[in-house]
Amino acid sequence: MTMTATLTQLIPLTPPPNPQLQDIRTQAAGYLQEETIPTNKNEEWRFTNLSPLLKQTFVAPSQELPPVSIDDLAIPEAAQSRLVFINGIYAPLLSSLANLPAGVFIGNLAAANAAGLAITDYLGKQPGGEEVFTAINTAGINDSAVVWLAPDTAIESPIQLLFITTVDDTAIATQPRTLVVLEQRSSATIIQEYLHTSASNRAYFNNSVTEIWLGAAAKLNHTRIQAEDIAAIHIGKTAVSQSEHSSYTGNAIELGSKLSRHNWEIFQIGAQTETYLNGLTMVNGEQESDTHSVIALTKPHGITNQLHKCIVNDRAHAIFNGKVFVPQAAQQTNAGQLNRNLLLSAKARIDTKPQLEITADNVKCSHGATVSQLEDDEIFYLQSRGLDVETAKILLINAFAVEIIDRIPVASVRKKLAVAVKAFKAN
């Protein structure tokens, strides 16, 4: 059985709960007739080894919610603005949506339809829907996390979107979906997490898609944390469309999974937008983590700045491929992109490819990449101040990572990530 056949078996044959979704699903299924699973011969996937996905057969999860505790997963700042999905299924009893401000909707598709939101104007409408993993997710849509803010609306507390996977002896595949619509002059902070409940060391596959639409002068601070089980496979897409004067700050943290890939795509649809992308990848053992980003500027006076850091240990492999397009129409753009990498062992591997494609002639753009190791003289200096070698290495790793972690606006999340960095061992 081919990999394509295996994955498309996960697309449900039952009609969607909202009949209007059928057209979206049908269109995506049509894309799959023309697309195939990428191989290393595909330039965009030449460093990503999909063989772990090829070797495993996955099944759709049971529609019954398994018992799960989120006591250690919930962040206190989102006590009244939390949405929880277990194995891709909405868990209302674990969600907390009390006393939301007027103009703020947080819920699943059924609740969004009941609230009269124009879901089908946005769902599945981002560019790139024909990409094979995105199309598989869209062709199987039955539910989605939905965050929708009306014009001139702000929510002060962060919104936590928890996508939790729990497995037994069955290799399951889930397809989490998120839709975020911030209408003009609205603002929010979202913490989106992909987690597992316990270290099962059993394979599972998450194929996630997030679509974000920012209206004129809307502002979103979005943190995406991937901390799946070490045996998991995670492929995700975050697609963002920005209207004029809107601001998007994205923080992407990659910690878990045996194999992970995050496609981060930003589309400028109005002038004078601001885009700030911050990324931190930490991989160990034989993990492989791939970040592909695209920032497509089409209007003048855009500002974009991207900093992505990778910490790679043992025989792990990290990949960064960042593209910034600045066509003739995007005059007076200010764009910067930097990828910094820290290799902690002789067998650790990084493939980095920052790219600028510029045809506009009145712009300020820069890009670069660095690869380094822990310096012996820095470790010696810290030892001379009374620290042992292990503590000195941890301190230097933390100093490298903290620049990204400190950009996350939620204190409890920063604290949790600081603990993860401290536990990251250097050879």
Side-chain angles (χ1 to χ4, degrees):
M1 181 178 294
T2 67
M3 183 177 170
T4 305
T6 301
L7 294 182
T8 53
Q9 281 183 344
L10 302 173
I11 299 173
L13 299 176
T14 56
N18 178 353
Q20 291 179 305
L21 292 178
Q22 187 58 55
D23 291 342
I24 298 173
R25 286 178 26 167
T26 300
Q27 183 183 44
Y31 292 145
L32 294 175
Q33 302 302 315
E34 303 174 1
E35 296 292 330
T36 59
I37 298 298
T39 68
N40 295 119
K41 294 181 180 180
N42 183 307
E43 177 64 24
E44 296 299 310
W45 291 82
R46 69 189 183 101
F47 293 121
T48 309
N49 178 17
L50 289 175
S51 62
L53 196 55
L54 281 165
K55 295 175 181 177
Q56 182 73 52
T57 299
F58 300 95
V59 300
S62 167
Q63 292 302 298
E64 294 184 7
L65 280 172
V68 170
S69 171
I70 64 168
D71 292 346
D72 296 330
L73 306 178
I75 59 174
E77 295 92 339
Q80 296 182 328
S81 50
R82 180 180 304 112
L83 196 61
V84 181
F85 284 74
I86 310 294
N87 291 351
I89 304 167
Y90 176 48
L93 296 181
L94 297 177
S95 301
S96 179
L97 305 171
N99 302 315
L100 293 175
V104 175
F105 174 87
I106 305 172
N108 71 335
L109 275 183
N113 290 329
L117 299 178
I119 293 296
T120 53
D121 289 348
Y122 296 94
L123 193 67
K125 298 298 192 294
Q126 289 279 4
E130 69 280 1
E131 187 272 327
V132 62
F133 290 105
T134 306
I136 289 171
N137 183 295
T138 304
I141 287 179
N142 268 333
D143 209 348
S144 174
V146 180
V147 176
W148 195 303
L149 271 63
D152 300 297
T153 300
I155 179 169
E156 299 300 326
S157 61
I159 300 165
Q160 185 180 24
L161 306 179
L162 268 177
F163 295 93
I164 302 169
T165 303
T166 179
V167 298
D168 47 28
D169 293 332
T170 305
I172 64 170
T174 66
Q175 303 196 60
R177 189 83 179 206
T178 301
L179 175 66
V180 177
V181 180
L182 269 58
E183 298 192 63
Q184 58 266 31
R185 298 176 301 280
S186 60
S187 63
T189 297
I190 293 177
I191 308 296
Q192 181 184 41
E193 298 181 83
Y194 298 92
L195 308 171
H196 60 97
T197 53
S198 61
S200 64
N201 290 322
R202 297 196 181 276
Y204 63 86
F205 173 46
N206 274 349
N207 177 36
S208 69
V209 174
T210 297
E211 295 179 288
I212 298 173
W213 298 87
L214 301 183
K219 296 183 178 180
L220 176 63
N221 194 304
H222 171 222
T223 298
R224 181 189 191 275
I225 300 173
Q226 184 274 113
E228 304 274 21
D229 188 271
I230 196 62
I233 299 169
H234 183 102
I235 294 178
K237 171 180 281 189
T238 302
V240 185
S241 286
Q242 292 188 245
S243 299
E244 63 273 13
H245 301 283
S246 65
S247 175
Y248 173 74
T249 299
N251 311 296
I253 311 298
E254 300 288 332
L255 302 176
S257 300
K258 179 179 182 179
L259 167 65
S260 66
R261 163 94 173 213
H262 181 213
N263 297 313
W264 212 352
E265 301 175 355
I266 314 297
F267 306 101
Q268 184 192 40
I269 57 176
Q272 294 184 269
T273 60
E274 296 183 5
T275 306
Y276 305 99
L277 303 185
N278 310 303
L280 176 63
T281 297
M282 296 177 59
V283 284
N284 217 329
E286 296 184 353
Q287 287 179 276
E288 181 170 276
S289 181
D290 185 349
T291 296
H292 267 60
S293 67
V294 174
I295 303 174
L297 303 171
T298 58
K299 306 292 181 181
H301 300 285
I303 298 174
T304 175
N305 194 282
Q306 180 176 18
L307 174 61
H308 192 93
K309 293 189 172 187
C310 299
I311 305 174
V312 191
N313 196 22
D314 289 337
R315 298 173 301 284
H317 180 201
I319 302 141
F320 173 79
N321 189 317
K323 298 179 182 178
V324 181
F325 295 99
V326 189
Q328 188 68 26
Q331 298 292 337
Q332 297 187 346
T333 288
N334 187 339
Q337 181 186 75
L338 178 61
N339 173 222
R340 296 184 61 198
N341 304 284
L342 182 62
L343 302 183
L344 300 180
S345 78
K347 294 184 179 180
R349 179 183 170 194
I350 177 73
D351 286 291
T352 177
K353 188 181 179 183
Q355 296 176 252
L356 283 175
E357 296 189 19
I358 306 170
T359 54
D361 50 15
N362 185 13
V363 298
K364 182 181 179 181
C365 298
S366 64
H367 73 294
T370 64
V371 180
S372 62
Q373 299 174 324
L374 295 179
E375 298 293 339
D376 290 340
D377 56 348
E378 293 177 345
I379 296 173
F380 178 77
Y381 174 81
L382 293 173
Q383 285 182 282
S384 71
R385 295 300 185 268
L387 300 181
D388 59 70
V389 173
E390 188 64 28
T391 302
K393 289 182 178 180
I394 291 172
L395 190 63
L396 291 171
I397 294 170
N398 181 74
F400 184 83
V402 74
E403 183 178 8
I404 301 298
I405 293 174
D406 279 353
R407 298 183 184 189
I408 296 173
V410 180
S412 64
V413 177
R414 293 196 301 270
K415 182 178 179 180
K416 180 167 61 175
L417 292 175
V419 171
V421 172
K422 188 175 181 180
F424 196 82
K425 303 295 184 181
N427 287 345

